[in-house]
Amino acid sequence: MGTQAIIYILMFVGVVLIVEGIYLVAFGKSIKLNSRVNRRLALLEQGKDREEVFETLRKERDQHRQSFKFPVMTILSSKAQQANIAFSPKALLAVMGLVAVFAFGGLTYFASLGLPTRILVALVMGGGGVYFWLNGKAKKRMALFEEQLPDAIDLIVRSLRVGHPFANAINIVAQEMPDPIGTEFGMIVDETAYGAEVASALHNMAERIDVPDLRFLTVAVAIQSKSGGNLAEVLDGLSKVVRARFKLFRRVKAITAEAKWSGMFLSGFPIAALLGVNVLNPHYYDAVKPTEYYMPAAVAVFSLLAINAIVMRAMVNIKV
């Protein structure tokens, strides 16, 4: 039992690495977030005209919205849209199928399971591995966007104070900031150039990216466009609030780091010990397995472990 659990864990990690490898082979450096030049400017520097670049980025951005109506793809598509994955929905399904086949082959070779069980576990590993990978990509991109947002707001404030209109301030952010915020604001510039309102384009971006601080920016711009006022002063105050929130969040994260690692250790050690005992001595529990108390005791132990993990997480999961 312990050996098979380790095999399942290693196979799941292998599935995630396979998905990442396929994505890097397919798109390479063009999808990296740490580039100094954002992707929109990189495409423009390749000689493509502005309309062609806009259509390419818009297609990548909106391609996953069409799959929201399919229940199986709703969760995956939401994460894929937040991560701005270049894979199309069909490509995601193909990758899921490929890794499910890989998992089925591994289960056939390493695990002694029946055919229906192997198929079910392979499908769960295929879908779960892709979702785990997409969730990691989405969290990384959202965290980087949220970290870049105060600098972008400061850049807008400085542009407004020297006399630039708000649309030009957005364009400066699109030219000066790296991905992901550089390309996202560049899309707003292109959308407004083709007739969309700035407030509407910002609102659509806020709905897609789902970062709370970006919603504050959207509301401030929408209110100013209707009622007027000094937008530079409002955004300057917003930037200070966002930076103070980040400072508080990181301070809380540092304070609770020891408690989080202690909780992870206390929650994971019993399971690791159980797996270790089963690997080192597979027959350790043979004497008690036939008894009537074995299954109720096992259910009680795993239930208590689950409750422990939930309570530990609730104690250190402080919202800022």
Side-chain angles (χ1 to χ4, degrees):
M1 178 66 182
T3 306
Q4 288 188 356
I6 293 175
I7 290 173
Y8 296 154
I9 294 172
L10 292 176
M11 287 185 61
F12 187 80
V13 173
V15 162
V16 176
L17 293 177
I18 287 174
V19 178
E20 178 69 15
I22 293 173
Y23 193 59
L24 290 177
V25 169
F27 299 100
K29 296 181 179 180
S30 64
I31 44 80
K32 290 186 176 181
L33 292 176
N34 57 358
S35 176
R36 293 182 179 179
V37 179
N38 64 59
R39 188 158 181 262
R40 175 174 172 269
L41 293 182
L43 291 174
L44 290 172
E45 289 178 356
Q46 293 176 5
K48 298 181 180 180
D49 59 60
R50 183 175 176 179
E51 184 177 357
E52 183 181 0
V53 171
F54 174 67
E55 285 298 323
T56 299
L57 296 175
R58 187 181 63 83
K59 182 179 179 181
E60 291 179 0
R61 184 192 66 185
D62 297 337
Q63 62 183 345
H64 296 284
R65 287 185 180 180
Q66 301 174 358
S67 56
F68 280 1
K69 56 186 178 182
F70 299 104
V72 178
M73 290 295 295
T74 299
I75 300 177
L76 291 179
S77 298
S78 177
K79 293 297 181 181
Q81 189 177 35
Q82 288 183 354
N84 198 34
I85 294 298
F87 277 144
S88 65
K90 292 181 179 179
L92 277 178
L93 286 174
V95 171
M96 288 173 58
L98 180 62
V99 297
V101 170
F102 168 79
F104 181 81
L107 291 170
T108 303
Y109 186 80
F110 292 107
S112 55
L113 298 174
L115 180 61
T117 306
R118 275 181 287 162
I119 294 175
L120 179 61
V121 174
L123 291 175
V124 171
M125 282 192 174
V130 171
Y131 175 80
F132 186 83
W133 175 76
L134 283 175
N135 188 51
K137 291 286 186 182
K139 284 185 176 180
K140 181 179 179 181
R141 188 169 185 267
M142 294 301 99
L144 185 55
F145 188 98
E146 200 166 6
E147 186 176 348
Q148 292 175 333
L149 187 58
D151 293 331
I153 296 175
D154 286 342
L155 192 56
I156 293 173
V157 170
R158 290 195 295 269
S159 301
L160 292 175
R161 283 176 173 171
V162 298
H164 291 294
F166 184 72
N168 285 2
I170 293 289
N171 189 31
I172 292 173
V173 174
Q175 292 178 354
E176 298 296 332
M177 297 288 293
D179 278 336
I181 204 166
T183 296
E184 290 290 346
F185 274 75
M187 292 288 291
I188 293 177
V189 173
D190 292 335
E191 287 177 356
T192 54
Y194 291 110
E197 294 184 359
V198 177
S200 176
L202 274 172
H203 175 75
N204 292 335
M205 183 174 69
E207 290 294 326
R208 183 175 66 256
I209 294 179
D210 196 22
V211 170
D213 297 326
L214 181 59
R215 295 183 183 275
F216 299 151
L217 172 63
T218 303
V219 170
V221 173
I223 293 175
Q224 192 275 340
S225 64
K226 294 180 180 179
S227 60
N230 192 336
L231 182 59
E233 293 299 326
V234 173
L235 295 184
D236 185 47
L238 175 61
S239 175
K240 292 178 181 177
V241 170
V242 173
R243 290 186 187 278
R245 181 172 173 269
F246 259 107
K247 184 178 180 180
L248 178 60
F249 176 77
R250 288 173 177 172
R251 184 177 179 182
V252 170
K253 186 176 180 180
I255 294 173
T256 59
E258 182 181 357
K260 286 184 178 180
W261 281 103
S262 298
M264 291 170 60
F265 176 79
L266 293 174
S267 300
F269 179 76
I271 299 175
L274 177 63
L275 293 176
V277 168
N278 278 275
V279 170
L280 295 175
N281 187 2
H283 304 289
Y284 185 80
Y285 295 103
D286 288 352
V288 296
K289 282 183 179 179
T291 64
E292 58 180 335
Y293 301 106
Y294 176 75
M295 284 305 298
V299 171
V301 168
F302 281 103
S303 298
L304 290 174
L305 286 175
I307 293 172
N308 168 74
I310 294 172
V311 172
M312 285 285 187
R313 179 172 178 81
M315 289 175 63
V316 298
N317 187 26
I318 300 175
K319 299 293 184 181
V320 180

